[in-house]
Amino acid sequence: MHRASSTVSRPSTGRSRVSTAAVAVAVLFLALGVLGFIPDITSRFDDLRLAGQHSGARLFGVFEVSVLHNLVPLVSGVGGLALARTASGARTFLIGGGAVYLVLWVYGLAIEQDSAANFLPVNDADNWLHLGLGIGMIVLGVLTGRRR
């Protein structure tokens, strides 16, 4: 007898599509967080600071990072992996996490990049990344979390 699934389909892993998407996003976040601590991948690594706009380090030479800024995707990744164990948790991670990244995007637009308010720090490239991540995560959460 075939049991009805609560998600659109299950890949061969037995994981729902929304959980698979959440794991993929979480792994991406973990990778980005770790890469922010690796010299040469992060240019001007000697300028890496705990927080604030004075951190001159750039992930891939583009995205302004600090220790605090690198910890954000690491925490997101760990949380995403924990929540991805269930379809509802995965959906919450994708949609809720997407909303958080949209808030980070608004934060980046609202602050002066040379001010003390830029404690993460963020630059224009980070703002575009946060917008893309926010929209992408919400879309993944909605589309992969749909029920038949």
Side-chain angles (χ1 to χ4, degrees), residues 74-87:
L74 287 172
V75 169
S76 295
V78 170
L81 289 177
L83 287 169
R85 295 187 324 211
T86 66

Side-chain angles (χ1 to χ4, degrees), residues 14-67:
R15 198 179 280 135
S16 66
R17 285 181 13 168
V18 69
S19 292
T20 300
V23 167
V25 170
V27 168
L28 172 69
F29 282 142
L30 289 170
L32 290 172
V34 168
L35 290 172
F37 290 110
I38 299 176
D40 296 330
I41 294 174
T42 298
S43 63
R44 298 172 43 190
F45 188 78
D46 291 341
D47 292 335
L48 184 70
R49 302 289 178 260
L50 177 63
Q53 78 278 12
H54 300 297
S55 184
R58 302 277 187 278
L59 180 60
F60 306 123
V62 177
F63 303 103
E64 191 170 351
V65 293
S66 66
V67 172

Side-chain angles (χ1 to χ4, degrees), residues 28-29 32-33 59-60 62-65 69-70 73 97-98 100-102 104-106 109 121-137:
L28 172 69
F29 282 142
L32 290 172
L59 180 60
F60 306 123
V62 177
F63 303 103
E64 191 170 351
V65 293
H69 199 173
N70 289 337
V100 168
Y101 277 93
L102 289 177
L104 283 174
W105 170 64
V106 170
L109 294 177
V122 293
N123 61 12
D124 289 337
D126 291 304
N127 290 338
W128 285 107
L129 177 64
H130 294 152
L131 175 63
L133 286 171
I135 292 170
M137 289 175 72

